[in-house]
Amino acid sequence: MVCALGAAVCFGTATVLQAIAARAAADTGGGGEAALLLRAVRQWRYLAGLGLDGLGFLLQIAALRSLPIYVVGAALAASLAVTAVTASRLLRVRLSSLEWSAVGVVCAGLAMLGLASGTEGHEDGSAALRWAMLGAALAVLLLGAVAGRLPERSRALLLGLGAGFGFGVVEVTVRLIDSLAPSALFTNPAAYALLIGGGAAFLLLTSALQRGSVTTPTAGMVIGETIGPAAVGVVWLGDRTREGLAWLAVLGFAVAVAGALALARFGEAPVERGPVEELPATKA
């Protein structure tokens, strides 16, 4: 659980640091997105954010190798709470009483999950599941192509859901890779699913946040990266709760995800758009 919470802290803090760097880069000159990115990567805050992203990914892998997927997914969704609290300090984004309550709800949900969760399931997953994950990763790419033809709001929601499914593929495939030997990786469909799913998720979320409101795609992402992978872990990988505490795990999962959805506007860092500030995409 420490690794899962550590990953959430890393991802949530990285979002704010990269937001500060992006703001500073936007204030120091014009140019397109490429020029903005080049100026941002020269700043220590942006580089620190990338470093935290890398550390968060390693902690996520460690957590997925020792905890049920439903626990890790809920903890990663809680990175939005970390982003919100950090932004209130560093970016002076004022949280409403409702949003502070949502932060508390997330913490309460994670506490319930921590009490109820059992150990990681010991089932390795079938060959069919590995190929299914590769198919799911390719479907995420197809979903992005279809979403680009839809109206604004539907497109943002579908792109966010697609990004969540892609991040969910990553969560599941980490459990399906049982050897890092090159010969084993090259013949394991899960390894390709991890790369395709993660890359597609990042592209879809970036596209969603560029084209629509922040809240809609981020909410879709939270739903997509939590519910599906949790179900796969329970049904096919043997994830279980402590004896007699299944109800508490279900309640904690629902509470944590609901709290994260209430903080969905913090899925993107604030930019200068007038009186309303919105929070670059948090990572899953």
Side-chain angles (χ1 to χ4, degrees):
M1 191 65 174
V2 172
C3 288
L5 293 176
V9 170
C10 286
F11 289 145
T13 306
T15 297
V16 179
L17 290 175
Q18 290 164 349
I20 296 173
R23 270 187 171 186
D27 291 339
T28 56
E33 294 296 326
L36 176 62
L37 178 60
L38 286 175
R39 290 196 299 272
V41 297
R42 295 172 186 162
Q43 301 185 43
W44 70 267
R45 289 183 181 87
Y46 194 89
L47 295 176
L50 290 179
L52 285 172
D53 284 338
L55 177 58
F57 183 67
L58 293 177
L59 290 172
Q60 177 186 358
I61 292 176
L64 287 166
R65 303 297 293 185
S66 59
L67 288 174
I69 293 176
Y70 64 82
V71 176
V72 179
L76 294 181
S79 65
L80 290 172
V82 177
T83 299
V85 173
T86 307
S88 72
R89 301 295 183 184
L90 298 183
L91 292 175
R92 298 180 182 178
V93 176
R94 181 173 298 178
L95 301 185
S96 67
S97 57
L98 181 62
E99 288 168 331
W100 278 115
S101 298
V103 171
V105 166
V106 170
C107 294
L110 293 177
M112 286 186 277
L113 275 173
L115 290 173
S117 65
T119 59
E120 169 202 24
H122 297 295
E123 297 182 21
D124 295 330
S126 64
L129 180 59
R130 289 172 168 80
W131 284 105
M133 288 298 102
L134 180 56
L138 295 173
V140 171
L141 288 174
L142 180 61
L143 188 65
V146 172
R149 303 173 182 270
L150 296 177
E152 182 83 19
R153 185 171 182 82
S154 299
R155 178 175 59 202
L157 177 60
L158 195 58
L159 286 172
L161 278 171
F165 293 150
F167 290 128
V169 167
V170 172
E171 293 175 21
V172 174
T173 52
V174 166
R175 292 272 296 275
L176 299 177
I177 298 175
D178 47 17
S179 174
L180 297 180
S183 58
L185 286 175
F186 290 149
T187 57
N188 189 346
Y192 299 99
L194 188 152
L195 295 175
I196 296 172
F202 181 79
L203 291 174
L204 265 62
L205 184 59
T206 301
S207 177
L209 294 175
Q210 287 176 341
R211 297 186 179 190
S213 73
V214 174
T215 304
T216 298
T218 303
M221 181 192 69
V222 169
I223 293 172
E225 72 177 347
T226 53
I227 298 175
V232 172
V234 170
V235 176
W236 284 288
L237 296 178
D239 288 347
R240 294 293 182 267
T241 65
R242 293 183 181 179
E243 187 68 28
L245 292 181
W247 66 272
L248 185 60
V250 172
L251 179 61
F253 180 86
V255 167
V257 172
L261 289 174
L263 295 167
R265 80 179 182 96
F266 292 97
E268 184 181 19
V271 294
E272 301 294 343
R273 291 183 183 172
V276 178
E277 292 188 347
E278 294 180 334
L279 279 182
T282 192
K283 291 84 182 168

